[in-house]
Amino acid sequence: MNRKFIYIGCTALAMAFLNVRGVVAQEAQDSLVNVAFGKVAKEDLTHAVSTVNTSELSKILYNNNSLMGLNGMVGGYNGNIWGQGALILVDGVPRSASNVKATEVESVSVLKDAAAVALYGSRASKGVVLITTKRGKNAPMSIDIRGTVAANVPVSYPRYLDSDCYMTLYNEACRNDGIAEKYDASTIYQTTLGTNPYRYPDIDFYSSDYLRKFNVNSGVVGEVYGGNEKTHYYLDFGMDYNNSLLKYGEAKKAYDMSFNVRGNVDMSLASWLKASTNAAVIFNNSYAGRGNFWGAASTLRPNWFAPLLPIDMMDRTVATIDEYITNSNHLIDGQYLLGGTSADTTNPFSELLAAGYTKEKSRMFMFDVVLMADLDNLLKGLSFKTAYSVDYTSYYSEAFAENYAVYQPTWANVNGKDMIVGLTKFGEDKKSINEYVGKSTYDQTLTFSAQFDYARTFNKYHNVSATLLGWGYQTQSSSDENNNAIGSSVAGSNYHRTSNVNLGLRASYNYAHKYYVDFTGALVHSAKLPEGKRNAFSPSVTLGWRLSKEKFMKNVDFVDDLKLTASYAKLHQDLDISDYYMYKGYYLMEQKKTGWYQWHDGTAGGVLSGSIRGGNPELTFITREEYRVGIDATLFNKLFQLNANYFTQTTGGLLTRGASTIFPSYFNLNDTSSFLPWINNNEDKRSGFDFGVTANKKFGQLDVTLGFNGMVFSSKATKRDEVTEYDYLLAEGHALDAVRGYVCEGFFQSEEDIAKHPRQTFGTVKPGDLKYKDINEDGVIDSKDQIDLGKGGWSAAPFTFGINLKLKYKNFSLFALGNGQTGAIGMKNNSYYWNRGTSKFSEVVWNRWTYKTAETATYPRLTTGNGDNNYRNSTFWMYKTNMFKLANVQFSYDFPESTFNGTFVHGLSLYCGGSNLLTISKERQYMELSTGYPQMRNFYVGFKAAF
């Protein structure tokens, strides 16, 4: 393993005179929200930040995902934040959310607006999800144990035609293409009878021969926490185990197992000095058979060959057959040889039965240390905090691989019985005795921060706070040079580390928690840019006004609290600069790549050998400029809580080569060589409105909480380097997720119909093929006839929403969580719908076009070719992705405390529930369909005990 150790430094920090918002307002010590580099009282929060109390949520919802509940409880979040991918921070350190279990998490904050993330610099410029783990508390030691067993049941499987139907329809496809039928009637008839599945195979990947009805997941988690005035501690340890849905060959023994331990300790070293340490270790082990079963399941046609050939149906008087059987190292159950063809010397069945296995092992270590000093003796209200973290992840696989042979049979009828009278061997049949390391990788992340915080209240009403900080991190990924030993195409280490470094300043003031002003700025640095362009300043300003404290609001009885906020920010980032040295020009001698150029003055040109790119010493940061207004309200004696934000943001300076509108044509020599540099030119715009409403009401002993949140979202390409003959072909002015395709006008019904229609240029067109509209009316259907069909919702649908409901009656509770979307479209363009070549047919082809079904057909004519005319995005394949998904439901019962009086048990809860339970959509069947590993429904039971 090529391990590289990483150095990271931070610019020295000057002493601060200002504060971090993170210091708690005096009236709200018990209501804190985690924000960038600190905490803020919820009543003083002026940025677009939503938080989920995961610790409380886990009492009514079991889920291992550290981000559980966010989709259904946070407006503007659907895996992205306001349509863009966020940086995940765990205790302030860039880490994967999958490296933290939900039981370890205290809360999750979603930092949405640009002003909220400015302090984190370039890498956080698209939003931040801040995961904060649990801490100990000043209390006697407590122990919580949770155990859960779950069954994962496939939602649905693809429905493919069996062999006789496939062959019948494939023959039809041959006739449609004007070629000879491939399968004779006898073969189809014998396959239909099913008397000899070895000679006339009919493979169903989704049968009980290969798959379990469900796979099982089980887990146990323990938590130990407590502390005194000097030390607080929290310990979390757990184990999870999954078996495989596959039960064939080596897959019978397949499993995934993980074990995790986390320890968080807070110490008071002196009256003015505190320290915290966090350490976590994760072990992951898995065992699996070889082969791509799920990939082949959607392509391998059912009649292709028999995976197993029975020995008792072989004529052993044939010398070669007897020799193969006698010398085989892979007699399956002592009864079968492995089947195959010259084109299929490996297949998912033989791989599982004879190829061996892989064991994958990963080890992760995460360590944080934090030091906090109260510097009141130097300046009242001043404090200092510094943190350092280091993460190590190592992965390697142990593999056992065997070479094996497959055999293609020659069948004959001998004395009225089917017999294999000949075998053609493909491959080597050898026994291996050695296990080897197949692949190894290594990752390391180092993070450092230091900050001065200042917080004071002057004359009772003037609250001043500030922070001056430095933050940086670097991640290095390494792998062995033989990384492709078991199939990987990546080898060696990344030359450049992923890094971020910045200085930040935040200054806040509020008067009597009524008028707020906040300034945040960050000095960011990027090594991806040319010298002189590597530093930039990202400022933001936020204003807030609590109207409910104004005199004119005193008689408005239904308003408990009302606050308006507004912010402006301009962030600089290099996230959308894909690589280093893009500002550099270069010339590479390669004789195979040539281009002709002629000088502007008309003198003779010449031949350039090599790859060329122009340089741009002015290349600079991409910017996110954003305006936001927000409202927070509590109404009707805390019956309703409302939060909403309107935002509009422009991402400017996105990179392009300028080939269409910026540089003359002679800068672009050919497809592989040009003088064109990378420049800042393109621009995107995103805007939207997110909201969250929560209502809570008690009806006697029934406590009801209902939440509804969502986001209206739109995007647009506002500037592009492009020139087209027709304006509707421009990306500029259209949504970033615009789906382009053709307008389908039905099926061609006859050769005469084809002759009368504008010429389609996507291969041979016959009756039963799709007919497209000539948008530009030039008499030809080609790429110029594609239009904007709608929004794909790739980052966020036009409207996304979530609903959560909690009912609590005495010791019973019911929790439900759902989410959905409307306004986006998709294309049914996977292999289930787009059958190409000899790949298998799904049930959708039953209503294909024929002369008999011309008036009712819902699928094009069948073809043995690639279907170039039919299989392209068009309104024919388009569908609306509107849906609502019931994501989670859990029913719980908490035993009364009196049940365990006099025992060491302090509490016991029993629960049962499920996830991914229901999808409501007109296109439900398609949306629940997977041609690979199936979507799963999860049903579980469990307990939680406190000691």
Side-chain angles (χ1 to χ4, degrees):
M1 181 182 298
N2 184 16
R3 301 192 175 189
K4 296 187 177 180
F5 293 90
I6 301 168
Y7 165 80
I8 184 171
C10 181
T11 306
L13 299 174
M15 190 170 110
F17 59 92
L18 301 167
N19 160 29
V20 85
R21 280 197 46 170
V23 179
V24 181
Q26 185 119 15
E27 297 98 341
Q29 292 285 345
D30 60 343
S31 179
L32 300 178
V33 176
N34 290 299
V35 295
F37 297 99
K39 298 176 184 289
V40 63
K42 188 175 182 180
E43 74 153 348
D44 291 333
L45 186 64
T46 56
H47 291 155
V49 177
S50 296
T51 185
V52 173
N53 189 327
T54 308
S55 180
E56 289 298 314
L57 181 61
S58 65
K59 295 177 181 179
I60 54 175
L61 177 62
Y62 166 77
N63 196 313
N64 266 339
N65 188 346
S66 60
L67 301 181
M68 69 171 181
L70 260 64
N71 272 18
M73 303 181 74
V74 174
Y77 178 87
N78 66 332
N80 294 320
I81 298 177
W82 289 356
Q84 299 195 80
L87 175 69
I88 306 294
L89 298 175
V90 179
D91 291 331
V93 179
R95 289 168 174 150
S96 171
S98 62
N99 293 334
V100 186
K101 304 293 185 183
T103 55
E104 302 172 49
V105 178
E106 180 65 32
S107 67
V108 177
S109 291
V110 181
L111 282 58
K112 295 181 279 191
D113 67 323
V117 301
L119 285 178
Y120 286 115
S122 177
R123 291 277 156 183
S125 58
K126 297 185 179 184
V128 169
V129 175
L130 184 58
I131 301 173
T132 303
T133 59
K134 294 178 180 178
R135 319 300 306 177
K137 55 186 178 181
N138 195 0
M141 183 177 69
S142 297
I143 301 174
D144 293 345
I145 302 294
R146 181 193 292 263
T148 308
V149 177
N152 301 303
V153 182
V155 174
S156 68
Y157 287 125
R159 292 187 291 273
Y160 293 105
L161 304 188
D162 52 19
S163 289
D164 58 330
C165 294
Y166 170 81
M167 289 186 287
T168 301
L169 293 185
Y170 193 83
N171 281 347
E172 180 183 307
C174 293
R175 296 193 298 271
N176 291 341
D177 293 340
I179 61 178
E181 295 183 1
K182 183 176 179 64
Y183 303 104
D184 61 79
S186 175
T187 298
I188 297 174
Y189 177 71
Q190 293 296 332
T191 303
T192 303
L193 292 179
T195 54
N196 184 357
Y198 304 103
R199 183 173 185 177
Y200 306 101
D202 186 6
I203 303 172
D204 180 6
F205 278 81
Y206 305 100
S207 75
S208 59
D209 293 338
Y210 311 118
L211 301 177
R212 297 184 172 98
K213 292 183 178 180
F214 58 88
N215 74 297
V216 176
N217 165 253
S218 57
V220 61
V221 177
E223 297 176 88
V224 181
Y225 52 92
N228 54 37
E229 293 181 356
K230 292 292 185 182
T231 305
H232 293 167
Y233 57 88
Y234 172 81
L235 174 67
D236 181 285
F237 54 91
M239 178 178 288
D240 285 287
Y241 179 89
N242 294 274
N243 68 349
S244 174
L245 192 62
L246 272 169
K247 65 173 186 179
Y248 193 71
E250 283 297 316
K252 290 180 181 178
K253 300 181 285 185
Y255 66 86
D256 292 293
M257 183 174 65
S258 66
F259 176 75
N260 67 283
V261 178
R262 168 176 289 277
N264 294 345
V265 179
D266 303 310
M267 298 163 286
S268 180
L269 305 179
S271 60
W272 58 275
L273 185 63
K274 296 181 179 179
S276 297
T277 59
N278 308 327
V281 179
I282 302 173
F283 296 85
N284 290 314
N285 291 348
S286 67
Y287 180 96
R290 290 179 171 274
N292 183 6
F293 180 90
W294 296 107
S298 63
T299 56
L300 191 65
R301 64 183 192 245
N303 68 317
W304 191 233
F305 60 86
L308 298 175
L309 302 176
I311 294 173
D312 61 6
M313 298 183 74
M314 297 179 184
D315 186 354
R316 298 196 67 164
T317 63
V318 179
T320 54
I321 293 178
D322 187 65
E323 180 185 353
Y324 289 152
I325 296 172
T326 302
N327 297 326
S328 174
N329 289 314
H330 296 99
L331 283 179
I332 308 304
D333 297 332
Q335 303 177 61
Y336 304 96
L337 289 178
L338 297 170
T341 71
S342 59
D344 301 276
T345 57
T346 63
N347 61 76
F349 304 104
S350 60
E351 290 285 288
L352 287 172
L353 290 168
Y357 58 80
T358 59
K359 299 177 183 178
E360 296 183 281
K361 301 183 178 182
S362 67
R363 305 290 183 260
M364 171 170 283
F365 172 72
M366 296 175 283
F367 177 76
D368 311 326
V369 59
V370 181
L371 192 66
M372 297 161 285
D374 183 345
L375 304 180
D376 258 4
N377 290 335
L378 297 178
L379 178 65
K380 186 174 178 58
L382 182 66
S383 62
F384 175 76
K385 178 181 178 180
T386 184
Y388 175 78
S389 68
V390 57
D391 292 0
Y392 296 102
T393 301
S394 65
Y395 162 89
Y396 69 97
S397 64
E398 297 174 0
F400 179 70
E402 290 200 274
N403 293 319
Y404 60 88
V406 297
Y407 303 87
Q408 185 170 349
T410 301
W411 290 89
N413 190 281
V414 180
N415 298 324
K417 294 183 178 180
D418 287 338
M419 293 290 293
I420 296 174
V421 296
L423 288 175
T424 304
K425 180 182 178 182
F426 302 101
E428 295 292 327
D429 197 358
K430 295 190 296 185
K431 200 75 175 175
S432 175
I433 59 172
N434 295 321
E435 189 177 64
Y436 64 92
V437 174
K439 179 173 64 174
S440 61
T441 63
Y442 174 77
D443 298 314
Q444 178 182 259
T445 299
L446 301 178
T447 308
F448 175 76
S449 67
Q451 65 188 76
F452 285 96
D453 296 330
Y454 176 78
R456 287 284 300 275
T457 298
F458 298 94
N459 297 329
K460 190 177 179 179
Y461 298 110
H462 301 280
N463 302 293
V464 179
S465 58
T467 294
L468 181 67
L469 64 89
W471 184 62
Y473 74 89
Q474 285 187 336
T475 298
Q476 174 72 48
S477 298
S478 306
S479 61
D480 61 282
E481 294 182 359
N482 297 317
N483 199 357
N484 57 356
I486 60 170
S488 173
S489 61
V490 180
S493 306
N494 295 332
Y495 182 76
H496 281 285
R497 304 155 181 163
T498 298
S499 61
N500 182 90
V501 62
N502 63 277
L503 294 174
L505 171 67
R506 178 171 52 198
S508 302
Y509 168 81
N510 77 72
Y511 175 77
H513 306 288
K514 182 164 62 173
Y515 306 114
Y516 297 85
V517 60
D518 177 287
F519 171 81
T520 301
L523 180 63
V524 300
H525 175 83
S526 174
K528 291 182 178 180
L529 296 170
E531 292 185 17
K533 298 291 182 178
R534 293 179 175 174
N535 298 317
F537 185 68
S538 299
S540 73
V541 176
T542 304
L543 302 176
W545 178 23
R546 175 164 279 106
L547 280 75
S548 54
K549 285 195 173 186
E550 296 290 354
K551 292 181 180 180
F552 60 79
M553 292 290 292
K554 285 187 177 181
N555 295 324
V556 184
D557 296 335
F558 68 90
V559 175
D560 307 318
D561 186 54
L562 178 62
K563 180 175 59 181
L564 300 179
T565 60
S567 64
Y568 166 81
K570 186 173 183 178
L571 306 185
H572 294 77
Q573 54 101 341
D574 63 0
L575 287 174
D576 294 310
I577 301 176
S578 61
D579 208 348
Y580 289 84
Y581 309 116
M582 295 181 73
Y583 59 89
K584 284 278 191 181
Y586 63 84
Y587 173 74
L588 178 65
M589 294 297 295
E590 293 183 12
Q591 295 298 326
K592 294 181 180 180
K593 298 178 180 178
T594 62
W596 173 265
Y597 70 91
Q598 185 170 10
W599 299 118
H600 180 65
D601 60 7
T603 57
V607 174
L608 294 175
S609 297
S611 178
I612 304 166
R613 183 175 74 199
N616 179 10
E618 299 301 315
L619 195 71
T620 188
F621 288 92
I622 287 92
T623 59
R624 169 184 174 180
E625 188 171 15
E626 179 180 279
Y627 297 88
R628 177 197 65 89
V629 293
I631 182 173
D632 291 274
T634 303
L635 307 173
F636 299 105
N637 196 24
K638 299 185 179 180
L639 175 63
F640 293 105
Q641 290 185 347
L642 168 69
N643 169 264
N645 297 279
Y646 171 78
F647 64 92
T648 177
Q649 59 179 243
T650 300
T651 303
L654 293 163
L655 303 193
T656 186
R657 299 293 294 274
S660 298
T661 62
I662 311 300
F663 296 106
S665 60
Y666 55 79
F667 270 51
N668 196 13
L669 300 178
N670 54 46
D671 291 339
T672 58
S673 299
S674 74
F675 289 107
L676 295 173
W678 287 102
I679 61 173
N680 301 98
N681 180 78
N682 290 355
E683 185 177 277
D684 296 341
K685 184 177 181 179
R686 296 173 177 86
S687 59
F689 171 77
D690 79 0
F691 65 91
V693 181
T694 303
N696 178 258
K697 180 71 174 177
K698 281 191 176 182
F699 302 90
Q701 296 188 64
L702 177 63
D703 191 350
V704 180
T705 302
L706 177 64
F708 180 63
N709 61 82
M711 176 176 66
V712 178
F713 177 79
S714 65
S715 66
K716 183 185 293 186
T718 52
K719 185 179 181 181
R720 287 293 185 271
D721 171 44
E722 58 183 349
V723 174
T724 64
E725 186 177 354
Y726 304 100
D727 289 345
Y728 63 84
L729 294 175
L730 292 170
E732 187 172 303
H734 292 265
L736 299 176
D737 57 350
V739 178
R740 292 188 172 271
Y742 300 89
V743 176
C744 181
E745 298 181 314
F747 300 104
F748 286 113
Q749 301 294 343
S750 64
E751 293 291 350
E752 183 181 7
D753 191 9
I754 295 173
K756 291 180 178 179
H757 192 267
R759 181 174 60 88
Q760 297 191 180
T761 60
F762 312 125
T764 303
V765 179
K766 292 188 175 184
D769 285 335
L770 297 183
K771 180 196 303 184
Y772 301 122
K773 184 176 182 179
D774 185 6
I775 300 297
N776 58 5
E777 299 181 346
D778 65 351
V780 177
I781 309 297
D782 54 20
S783 60
K784 296 178 182 178
D785 294 292
Q786 295 184 86
I787 64 170
D788 182 350
L789 299 177
K791 299 176 181 178
W794 304 323
S795 59
F799 180 56
T800 56
F801 63 94
I803 300 174
N804 58 87
L805 171 67
K806 179 186 175 183
L807 302 175
K808 186 171 179 59
Y809 178 75
K810 295 184 178 179
N811 295 84
F812 296 93
S813 62
L814 176 69
F815 181 77
L817 186 70
N819 53 73
Q821 65 177 47
T822 63
I825 65 169
M827 293 288 167
K828 296 179 180 179
N829 55 9
N830 59 15
S831 61
Y832 192 76
Y833 279 83
W834 288 9
N835 171 264
R836 298 182 185 274
T838 61
S839 60
K840 63 206 307 180
F841 291 132
S842 67
E843 288 187 355
V844 299
V845 307
W846 274 128
N847 201 26
R848 77 280 180 203
W849 189 96
T850 66
Y851 283 105
K852 292 182 179 180
T853 65
E855 298 300 321
T856 60
T858 58
Y859 193 87
R861 73 176 179 99
L862 300 182
T863 176
T864 62
N866 287 327
D868 291 333
N869 181 82
N870 300 327
Y871 301 148
R872 53 188 62 244
N873 286 350
S874 73
T875 54
F876 182 85
W877 304 107
M878 187 174 74
Y879 71 99
K880 294 181 179 180
T881 61
N882 301 342
M883 66 90 180
F884 173 76
K885 179 175 290 186
L886 183 59
N888 300 93
V889 173
Q890 180 171 306
F891 178 76
S892 308
Y893 177 73
D894 302 323
F895 284 86
E897 294 182 8
S898 59
T899 306
F900 307 102
N901 284 344
T903 70
F904 63 91
V905 179
H906 294 164
L908 177 64
S909 299
L910 302 179
Y911 55 86
C912 63
S915 59
N916 194 23
L917 296 175
L918 174 68
T919 299
I920 300 174
S921 174
K922 184 179 179 181
E923 298 290 344
R924 178 186 63 82
Q925 289 186 342
Y926 181 76
M927 298 181 80
E928 292 184 339
L929 173 71
S930 173
T931 56
Y933 193 83
Q935 298 181 44
M936 308 293 278
R937 286 199 173 96
N938 175 270
F939 302 93
Y940 59 86
V941 295
F943 74 92
K944 182 179 180 181
F947 305 95

